[in-house]
Amino acid sequence: MALHTLLHKSRYSVSVCGLFIKRGLAHRSYQETFRFVDLQESLTKYPKLIPPNDDSLKFGKVMTDHMLEVPWNNVTGWGSPTISPYHPLPLDPAAKCLHYALELFEGTKAYCGDDKKIRMFRPTDNCQRMHDSATRIALPTFDIEELRLCLHRFVEVEKNWVPDQPGFSLYIRPTMIGTEPSLGVDQSAEALLYVIASPVGPYFPTGMKPVSLLADPKYVRAWPGGSGNCKLGPNYGPTVMIQKEAVSKGYQQVLWLFGEEHYITECGTMNMFVYLKDSQGQAELVTPPLSQGTILPGVVRRSLLELAESFGNIKVSQRPITMAELVQALNDNRLIECFGAGTACVVCPVEKIFYKGEELLLPPIPKMDLSAPAHSADPLFLKFYKILNDIYYGRQASSWAEIVCDA
């Protein structure tokens, strides 16, 4: 009797050639999402040596013992999540991600608090953004809660890799790639979602230092109708050359502008904030809006906006802002401070901007004590930095920080 007939006639299972096969396996329904309850684990028998928490710990250079993987194909959908020892990917040279940049990624962190509990910061927001990026690049979507649960478990497995010193953290990199071996420019019939992690040291190991920016309108990072609001690999590769040019001219980052009006968009890979006094003398925190699709909806960005709203004494605006407005505010002594914000640095103040052949010197940055509690006299960016770090490390209770496990 044919195999498919046996499977069809058996109510539960059959034995074929010594294999025990559950009924329905050959006709598995399409799985719209993976499930945390199906997670399988095969942990390493040869753990790596965990590096010391010191200045030698460079960003993204050392990977943890394990990785999380979930395969997908367009016939059966999502497979089961697995946590296994870190390993190279068996990738076909014709895989679409290698030719057409069908690739997206996320970035979040886990922190070991002063109370020796490991926390993640707003991971649901990262899962949602990853889902939205997948939609934009025609990779498979999933239930974001299932990914959040899988991330929690992955961090728990790797908890020994979460540094236990202030300023240190475990950087977590969820990624999805189109893996179908085909040179056709179309949707990938196969994909892989995987997660790796790397312990990282403080972004400012010797104290917070302001950055200088090159603002050259001939280079554009994103445009309306594009994909600048998604965390896609192809958004980042083309920025490397301009970043090198900025460094060669003595500047550390690029201030990305758009259009003839030179609208401010982002700062390096960070969201950009301008703190100034408006024409009526009211303090206003301005960041470019998400409505045009040119701005990445940063998790830290959202958090800073919500914190500023909670202060009650700041006008919070998500609106377009041009270099002309920034220059005018600077000339009128209405510009208070500028800073970038993102997962890596939390916040990073800006001290000068090279624009149209002129170096704009922003208001001076006062001496900063990062170890002192947040104070009303602190610059706004420093207040943000201290509050978020207190949340990261459990010194300030917040629903934004999800406890994963004990260290």
Side-chain angles (χ1 to χ4, degrees), residues 303-381:
S303 303
L304 298 191
L305 292 172
E306 292 174 5
L307 282 176
E309 291 277 8
S310 72
F311 294 160
N313 60 347
I314 299 174
K315 178 182 177 182
V316 180
S317 302
Q318 299 183 61
R319 65 170 178 83
I321 181 169
T322 63
M323 279 300 297
E325 181 180 352
L326 186 150
V327 171
Q328 189 64 56
L330 178 63
N331 292 338
D332 294 345
N333 293 318
R334 293 185 294 106
L335 184 64
I336 304 172
E337 58 194 68
C338 295
F339 55 91
T343 297
C345 67
V346 187
V347 295
C348 183
V350 178
E351 64 176 350
K352 58 186 176 181
I353 302 172
F354 185 82
Y355 173 64
K356 286 187 172 181
E358 181 183 0
E359 192 166 79
L360 306 174
L361 299 179
L362 306 192
I365 308 296
K367 186 177 180 180
M368 296 168 285
D369 182 0
L370 301 184
S371 62
H375 190 275
S376 58
D378 285 337
L380 183 60
F381 71 83

Side-chain angles (χ1 to χ4, degrees), residues 34 67-72 78 81-82 89 104 130 134 140-142 147 150-151 173-179 191-195:
F34 50 87
M67 59 193 296
L68 168 69
E69 295 174 276
V70 198
W72 175 91
W78 287 103
T82 60
L89 297 178
L104 60 91
M130 188 172 190
T141 57
F142 47 84
L147 177 57
C150 288
L151 289 177
R173 173 55 65 89
T175 307
M176 196 191 305
I177 56 177
T179 56
L192 178 69
L193 187 158
Y194 66 91
V195 183

